[in-house]
Amino acid sequence: MPNSNAKFHCNHRGGQEAGRRELVSRSLQSAQHCLEDQDFGTAYAHYLLVLNLAPELKTSVKETFQFSLFKWAEELDSLARIQDLFNCYEQALELYPNDEVICNSMGEHLFRMGFRDEAAGYFHKAVKLNPDFADAKENFYRVANWLVERWHFIMLNDTKRNLTYLKAIENAVRSGCKSVLDIGTGTGILSMFAKKAGASFVYACELSKTMYELACDVVAANNMESEIKLLHLKSLDIEIPKHIPERVSLVVTETVDAGLFGEGIVESLIHAWEHLLLQPK
């Protein structure tokens, strides 16, 4: 009897495997026919089924899956079915999370729809996945021109300004300010000044996703990623101990662009004074 049961289960598993292979084969044929008929939505659905049933085929069907995805996405875009378009890209990125071509294509759709910050994130990821991907690099630089204000470059090349900030931060840290919060960190330069001056704990917040990711790269390039905690947050949303463990002894900021009104520098500093900064005894 045990041998009979084992044989039954073996036959059952064999039947399931044969059924899976048959379904995968039929779906691949159907997907190909749909592509020939330019029925890209149905082709995309067939490829999704194939990849879920047979993940071992990811490499072999990757190019045709991408083609059907991109063509179907164009149709969805033209029909203003934006949520369906995003759902398709989310499904594709679940299957190919490290595919620079899909990331770049997602970024292009987001950019055309006006979501420049989000688009920059996908272009940036595509470039990190493949630094030689020319289309992604061009897209990232293009969107960066929209998002990174020109005054950032002017400030970063203003030696007198930078040395003045460095000296002021060094004086504050040496006088006993060992925990620092940098509001609107931008490229992270003031946070790095604070850390180099000897601050024990440095926290930095940045509202712009593009500038936040840029700050992460800059800080990492200077080998300080484990020493500076970067927060993609509006300063008014920082909570203790959720985001930072305790009140800080020094707040630095240079929010001088339109963020003066958008971020609300006065409100930010009042919030920092009341909730995030150690009070004098």
Side-chain angles (χ1 to χ4, degrees), residues 31-274:
Q32 189 59 45
H33 291 150
C34 289
L35 287 177
E36 291 169 1
D37 295 336
Q38 297 189 350
D39 183 359
F40 301 115
T42 307
Y44 172 75
H46 279 299
Y47 279 119
L48 275 184
L49 178 61
V50 167
L51 289 168
N52 279 287
L53 287 174
E56 67 273 13
L57 296 179
K58 278 185 179 181
T59 301
S60 61
V61 304
K62 181 178 176 179
E63 288 188 10
T64 46
F65 171 76
Q66 287 177 343
F67 180 77
S68 62
L69 166 66
F70 300 156
K71 287 294 186 180
W72 179 226
E74 288 176 8
E75 288 188 21
L76 293 173
D77 193 5
S78 68
L79 295 169
R81 291 172 56 182
I82 306 306
Q83 190 56 57
D84 289 335
L85 185 153
F86 288 153
N87 288 342
C88 286
Y89 273 97
E90 286 176 4
Q91 291 167 338
L93 286 169
E94 285 180 8
L95 292 165
Y96 297 96
N98 296 318
D99 187 279
E100 69 273 18
V101 178
I102 295 176
C103 287
N104 182 65
S105 180
M106 177 64 160
E108 289 176 336
H109 281 286
L110 287 165
F111 185 78
R112 284 196 295 270
M113 293 173 193
F115 300 109
R116 296 191 178 101
D117 227 1
E118 292 81 358
Y122 280 98
F123 294 146
H124 184 247
K125 181 178 179 181
V127 173
K128 291 190 79 171
L129 288 168
N130 182 0
D132 297 323
F133 188 9
D135 286 350
K137 285 199 292 186
E138 181 180 342
N139 285 331
F140 181 68
Y141 294 144
R142 179 159 56 104
V143 77
N145 285 330
W146 286 87
L147 295 172
V148 181
E149 300 290 348
R150 291 299 175 187
W151 51 261
H152 273 291
F153 302 105
I154 297 171
M155 288 194 307
L156 290 171
N157 288 282
D158 186 340
T159 304
K160 183 178 179 180
R161 163 199 170 272
N162 294 338
L163 290 176
T164 301
Y165 264 100
L166 175 60
K167 185 175 180 180
I169 291 171
E170 285 177 342
N171 289 339
V173 171
R174 287 168 185 167
S175 69
C177 297
K178 294 301 183 182
S179 55
V180 180
L181 171 64
D182 180 7
I183 295 176
T185 192
T187 57
I189 187 170
L190 300 186
S191 296
M192 291 188 290
F193 283 170
K195 194 62 197 178
K196 286 182 177 180
S200 302
F201 305 99
V202 180
Y203 312 99
C205 65
E206 175 56 53
L207 182 59
S208 164
K209 188 172 187 294
T210 301
M211 293 307 300
Y212 164 77
E213 291 181 347
L214 178 60
C216 289
D217 284 347
V218 172
V219 168
N222 285 272
N223 300 314
M224 293 186 181
E225 64 268 37
S226 62
E227 301 174 315
I228 298 173
K229 182 176 182 180
L230 289 158
L231 302 166
H232 180 213
L233 281 175
K234 190 174 182 179
S235 61
L236 295 172
D237 295 331
I238 296 176
E239 299 177 16
I240 297 172
K242 182 178 180 181
H243 301 116
I244 61 177
E246 56 188 2
R247 289 173 179 257
V248 298
S249 52
L250 177 67
V251 170
V252 296
T253 187
E254 191 177 20
T255 317
V256 295
D257 70 326
L260 181 65
F261 306 103
E263 169 79 355
I265 188 62
V266 175
E267 290 84 353
S268 296
L269 292 177
I270 291 173
H271 175 75
W273 174 261
E274 292 179 344

Side-chain angles (χ1 to χ4, degrees), residues 3-28:
N3 290 335
S4 177
N5 286 335
K7 185 176 181 180
F8 170 78
H9 288 301
C10 182
N11 289 337
H12 181 65
R13 285 195 299 271
Q16 285 184 322
E17 177 59 23
R20 182 187 73 90
R21 288 198 300 267
E22 176 66 17
L23 183 54
V24 167
S25 176
R26 287 178 177 272
S27 293
L28 284 172

